[in-house]
Structures are given as structure tokens and as C-alpha cells.
Amino acid sequence: MSEQTKTKTVSDFFGCNVFSDKVMRERLPKNVYKSVQKTRQLGIALDQDVADVVANAMKDWAVEKGATHYTHWFQPMTGVTAEKHDAFISPTPDGNVILEFSGKELVKGEPDASSFPSGGLRATFEARGYTAWDPTSCAFIKDNSLYIPTAFCSYTGEILDKKTPLLRSMEVVSEQALRILRLFGNTTATRVTTTVGPEQEYFLIDKKLYEEREDLILTGRTLFGAKAPKGQELEDHYFGNINQRVSDYMKDLDEELWKLGIYAKTKHNEVAPAQHELAPVFTTSNIAADHNQLTMEIMKKTALKHGLVCLLHEKPFAGVNGSGKHNNWSISANDGQNLLDPGDTPQDNMQFLTFLCAIIKAVDEYAPLLRLSAASAGNDHRLGANEAPPAVISMFIGSELEGVIDALENGTVYQSVGNQSFEIGVDALPNFPKDSTDRNRTSPFAFTGNKFEFRMLGSADSISCTNTILNTIVAEVLSEFADELEKADDFDSALRALLVKTIKEHKRVIFNGNGYSDEWLAEAEKRGLPNLVSTVDALPEYTNEKYVTMFEKFKVYTATEIESRTEILLENYSKVINIEALTMLDIAKKKIIPCCISYTKGICDAAASKNSIGVDSSVETQLASKLSSLTEGIVKETDTLDKKVIAAQGKEEGLEMAKFYREEVFAQMQTLRALVDETEMNVSEDAWPLPSYSKLLFTV
Ligand code: ADP
Ligand code: MG
């Protein structure tokens, strides 16, 4: 426990490293504070004079807290965050320094953008990039630097990051949702906000073992490894008691996150051995995205302090569950109402039903976009593998809402089953009201009471892309609804007709059954729902004309930006598989094949010694023969993999190359792995060059 938090309660140190609203109110002159508030709430740009005052106050506050540097902190297309630190110092004529930080430095930065992925945009913007402060997300202190959350764009204005489109999408969904609210007579709400609470899964393993695994170090996942005798089949890790080392880690992690103003709330063990989860209290989408990036970073850093390594890869270990991220999403107005709250009588809540139907239509019409927002080489291991939703997008709305929707479609009166309750049968225990929004853990997009939970994301993903897409597709449908309803003479009947039509056309996307079953895949195909199995199937959908038109209409992305993003993601896919394949080759050639040869030699030597004194050596002979033929197979498959990796380089960059990596290189990696894993089971643990799954998964 740190000194700072030893005797204090959480509320004493929560957000102590954040230049929060409270700090601003204390430290800024009243008129300046008001301008900043306006900027934060209404998105009006700050004047230079105001920015100077804010920057100076930020610097003073940061310096008091020990900061020496500041950095614009942004989210390029690498998937991780980027930062470049400048000291506050400025030389004085007498050879000393004073500490300075101007409004200009706060509001805008000019990092060299040449080495960030730009997907072909680079040529047009001469490598220069700009970062611009997002004043809705608070600055904070970490590692003696003042961090300023920023958006990142090119010299010519093309966006190069994940934050800018998210902010744009939040604006558009707000505008369109307000149009709908006005139609329902709401005159008080002035802004609608999307909120997100991302649940984050992760693995913790011992650092010493990690350091012996080149595959984990270079790729984040084990490329080889025979299954341990025990996996997750006893289901004893899920919500199991938390061992001391992990508990100490979680406590430390919570404290670090709280100091940064992150609402870390829930922690528990997950299904796979060595797997855990952290969930924060939800907040505004862009802040949730910033916080999730920070959370992932702090998770990794804090682990090192405990001699652990935190793995955020979607599939670190074959044979047990991988890690995902559940994106809990809702939409609320600034007059206090959650627009996805059905209330006690959803059948009479036409405003709720309008938003619900809009989301149903959006998910059905734009399913490929949602699917591709979760597409990555890592996540390909999970989707459809009975541990995460299938690659088919469907929606779970629960039996009550389905009943309401059916009644609406058929023009009948919905018969509520009323409030039911369970009796546990023990007098001392309370009766439970039966939850009308029952749970379904197999659906990619599930209604959970007053929010939707999109369950496809991978654990390492940024949540920005998903939420940008989600906000934009919902905005699109709301705008279609508003266009139609605004011109109606009779709002009530026009609304009813619109909702009935929407339900008829889009109810095919609703599925309340088991999403992991094969029957569902067959049924989904019958319903015409797209099944984009892998990243290379999903990504080309991005540039579909219909989607490009929508993004351009709302100025969330231009066609060029979408093309560049598709290119970056495809390239990234190929690069990831390439690195994995090269790492496999490295380990196979330098560690596994030599180990097989020397281990087999040891057995042959033993056989020879036995033979020399006339003792039967058939056991040794059999084992040596078996290993010899396995080794021969490994050498052959390694050679084939080598050739395929070389052949991949000859493919045209983009889709063709990515497909080759998936169909040829990745497939060959599986073949090689199977042989190596079989061999591992025939070699002494002391001789095998990689720590076993048993050790990795069960020794923390
Ligand atoms: P689960 O039952 O899926 O494990 P958890 O309780 O772990 O759910 O997490 C639920 C998440 O949903 C939390 O992060 C919570 O803050 C978030 N959440 C709750 N209400 C909303 C909302 N209105 N908007 C967005 N997220 C929400
Ligand atoms: Mg969940």
C-alpha cells in the first residue's frame, strides 16, 4: 500500500491526480472557469486568453504534485496510446530556468506523424500531424508528467486517431436523438449522451515464467503448449476466492485507478484459470474510452510491481477461455432520463419503444460494421469458439420485451405476466422478484435492463471504434425516423405505423436462444444474417458504399478515412500473423528441434549402455523412434511454414496478403503447433525449453 493511501479512505484520494472540475473551480478565476465549462458542455472552442490562464493553472497544479513535464496523450491507429513529453522549463538570461506552459501548448501540439499508421494518407499530409485538446476529458498526472487527452489529425485535417471519430459520433447521435425527444414533446433536454461501462478481462501469470516464453514476450500469446491436465472444466475459478497475491495486485490496481479518477468498481476471478475481470462504473463514451486505455496500461504496470505479468491478448492459452471486453452502452438525456429505461410498463412507453426499434433496425442493417469493429487477429480465436458470441450478429431482448414487440406488431394488447417472484423456501431469506430482463450470456448484443451489452470486443481492443459505429448507426436510424415523423400530420398513428414496419422488417435479428449452438448458425443463415467468420471476411465490409455514404453524411469519417482505416487494419492483421509465424520459426528452430535432437540422443545413449551389458532396451528404442519421427515431422512442417511466410511477402498488400496469411500461414502454424504439443508430452519437463501450461496457469 502506498504511503498516500495508508490511512485515508477512498474518497480522500479519489481523483487526486486529475485536473478535475473541482480543481478547476478552485483554481480558475470565475469567468475563466465558466468559459471552460461552456467548452466542456457545449463544445465551443476556448479563446487564446482563456487557454493561457487554464494552462498556467494546470502547470502550477501539476508542478505542486511533482510533475516536471507535460504531454499530449493521443490514440493513434496502433491500438495503444502515444505520448511525447516536454519539460515545462524555459531558459532565463541568467542561466537558470522558469517553468512555463502556454495556452497554445495546451490546446494544440504538432507531433511528427510520419511513423504512425496512416493507411496511405501520409503522402498527402507531409508527415505533419496535429494534436488538439479534448477538454471534455480531464488532464491528469502520471509518472511525473501532466497528461492532456487529445485528438490527433493530419496536416490536411484527416483523422489519424480513434478519439476524433468517437467525439464526432457522439455529436451526431445527440442531434438525432434530440429530434426524436422533441417529437415526444420534450423541450428541456439540450444534449443526449452515450455512456459506456466496459468490463475488462485479463490474465495474470508469474513474471519469471513469462520471461522464459519468447512467444508471450513477442506476441502476447503462447504459440506452443500442450494442454495442462486440468483446465477450466470444474468451473472452480469463476468467482472463486481470490488468492493473496492476486488480491494484493487488485487492491493496488484499484488504488492506482482511483487516483486517476477511474471508477474501478467490480473485480472477480473469471472462468479460465489465472483469468480475472475488472469493471468500472459507466461514464460518458469518450471518457470511458480514455479510461479503458489507461486501465489497460495501469493493469500491466501494476502487475510488474507484484512480480506478475498481465496478459491482455484475446487468446493467451489454447484450450481455455480467452479474454474479451463487454461494451455496456446506453443513451441518456441531460434532463436525467436514461432513454433505454423501459420503466414498469414498457408496452405504454412509446418513447422507449421508439429507441428500442431504432436500435433493432440499426443492428440489423449495419451488423457487418459492428462485427468488423471487433475484428482482429487475436479476437478471431474467440468469436464462434463457444466462449464468446458467434460471428453472427443477433440481439437478445428478453421474453418480456419480445412480448411487447409482438403485441405492437400484431396490434394486440400486451398481457403482462405481472411481477413474479421466486420463493427460495427458507423463511429467513427474502423472496426475489423475477427479473423481467432475464440474462442470456451467448448473445453478441444483449439488452440488460436499461442498456445494451455488446459482447464481441476483444480484451485488447480500444472501445472507440465500436462506439463510433454504434453511435453513428443509431443516429442514422433516428434521423430516418425523425425525417418521417416530423412531417406526419398525426404523430401517434404515424409512429405506430413506423414501429410496426420496423419490427416486421428487422425482427429477424432478434434471437433469444443459445447463440453458441450449431442450430442457431443454421437458423441465422436461413434468416439471411451475415456470418463474417474471420477478420479477413469482416474488414472488406468497411468500404461498402452504403456505410461510406452514412459516415460521410454525418461527417464521422470521409471515404478516404475509411479506406485508410481498412488498409491499416488489414495490414495490421498480416503483420501480426507474420510476427507470430516468425516467432514460431525462431522457437522451433532454435529451441524445440535442438531439444528434440539432444533429448533423443540421451535416450539412444541409454539404450546403447543397456545393450552393452545385455539389458533389454526396447522401451528406449520405442521412445527414441517415436521422438525421431515426431522430430522429422516438426522439421518438415517448420520448413513448410518458412516457405509460406516467404510466399506471403510476394502477395499484394491489403486483402490478398491478409487472406494468404489466414488461409496458408495461420493454417500451417496450427499444423506445426499440433506436432510440437504432441512432442512436449513425450519429453521430460526438465528438458523441454518452454514452461508448461500447468506452471503458467496454476502457479500464481
Ligand atoms: P455483468 O452482469 O455483465 O457481469 P457487470 O455488473 O460486471 O455486468 O457490469 C455491468 C457494466 O454495465 C458496469 O460497467 C456498469 O457500470 C455498466 N452500466 C450500467 N448502467 C449503464 C448505463 N446506463 N450505460 C452504460 N453502462 C452501464
Ligand atoms: Mg458482461
Side-chain angles (χ1 to χ4, degrees), residues 195-197 199 277 280-282 328 330 338 439 441 451 453:
T195 50
V196 177
E199 298 160 58
E277 181 181 299
V281 178
F282 68 95
N328 294 276
S330 191
N338 177 348
R439 291 297 179 105
R441 300 274 169 193
K451 62 185 190 296
E453 183 173 7

Side-chain angles (χ1 to χ4, degrees), residues 198-204 249-250 252-254 256-257 260 262 264 266-267 276-280 291-306 308-312 324-325 459:
E199 298 160 58
Q200 176 73 49
E201 292 179 339
Y202 61 98
F203 279 84
L204 285 179
Y249 163 79
M250 287 177 166
D252 205 4
L253 174 62
D254 278 339
E256 291 304 319
L257 295 175
L260 288 167
I262 297 171
T266 309
K267 52 186 179 186
H276 314 279
E277 181 181 299
L278 179 146
H291 281 181
N292 183 248
Q293 290 290 349
L294 267 178
T295 300
M296 291 193 282
E297 185 191 320
I298 307 282
M299 276 178 160
K300 287 189 180 167
K301 272 196 181 165
T302 307
L304 297 177
K305 288 198 261 171
H306 292 258
L308 297 166
V309 171
C310 170
L311 303 176
L312 291 174
K325 179 139 53 192
S459 47

Side-chain angles (χ1 to χ4, degrees), residues 287-489:
I287 297 171
D290 286 358
H291 281 181
N292 183 248
Q293 290 290 349
L294 267 178
T295 300
M296 291 193 282
E297 185 191 320
I298 307 282
M299 276 178 160
K300 287 189 180 167
K301 272 196 181 165
T302 307
L304 297 177
K305 288 198 261 171
H306 292 258
L308 297 166
V309 171
C310 170
L311 303 176
L312 291 174
H313 193 282
E314 283 80 8
K315 193 75 181 175
F317 303 100
V320 295
N321 277 9
S323 299
K325 179 139 53 192
H326 290 174
N327 190 82
N328 294 276
W329 177 91
S330 191
I331 172 165
S332 57
N334 65 346
D335 59 2
Q337 51 172 331
N338 177 348
L339 304 178
L340 296 187
D341 185 351
D344 292 336
T345 50
Q347 64 273 28
D348 303 324
N349 188 344
M350 290 308 278
Q351 183 184 297
F352 165 74
L353 292 173
T354 305
F355 281 96
L356 177 67
C357 287
I359 295 169
I360 291 172
K361 177 170 180 188
V363 172
D364 185 32
E365 269 199 34
Y366 299 95
L369 280 178
L370 284 172
R371 165 66 186 92
L372 72 86
S373 79
S376 68
N379 218 19
D380 277 356
H381 297 280
R382 297 174 62 243
L383 300 180
N386 283 342
E387 57 173 279
V392 180
I393 300 267
S394 67
M395 253 171 126
F396 168 84
I397 59 171
S399 49
E400 183 182 20
L401 284 186
E402 196 168 34
V404 171
I405 296 268
D406 279 349
L408 186 62
E409 182 190 355
N410 300 322
T412 53
V413 177
Y414 173 68
Q415 294 296 341
S416 167
V417 281
N419 289 339
Q420 292 178 307
S421 63
F422 290 117
E423 265 183 49
I424 298 190
V426 177
D427 289 345
L429 297 178
N431 289 342
F432 284 107
K434 201 170 165 192
D435 198 341
S436 59
T437 56
D438 44 355
R439 291 297 179 105
N440 175 320
R441 300 274 169 193
T442 64
S443 173
F445 203 93
F447 187 70
T448 51
N450 58 5
K451 62 185 190 296
F452 276 99
E453 183 173 7
F454 180 54
R455 298 211 182 92
M456 266 192 176
L457 275 183
S459 47
D461 279 332
S462 153
I463 62 169
S464 297
C465 178
T466 279
N467 287 292
T468 301
I469 287 172
L470 199 43
N471 294 344
T472 312
I473 62 178
V474 171
E476 166 62 25
V477 178
L478 291 176
S479 88
E480 290 166 17
F481 279 16
D483 286 347
E484 189 163 335
L485 296 171
E486 279 165 359
K487 59 176 193 247
D489 296 327

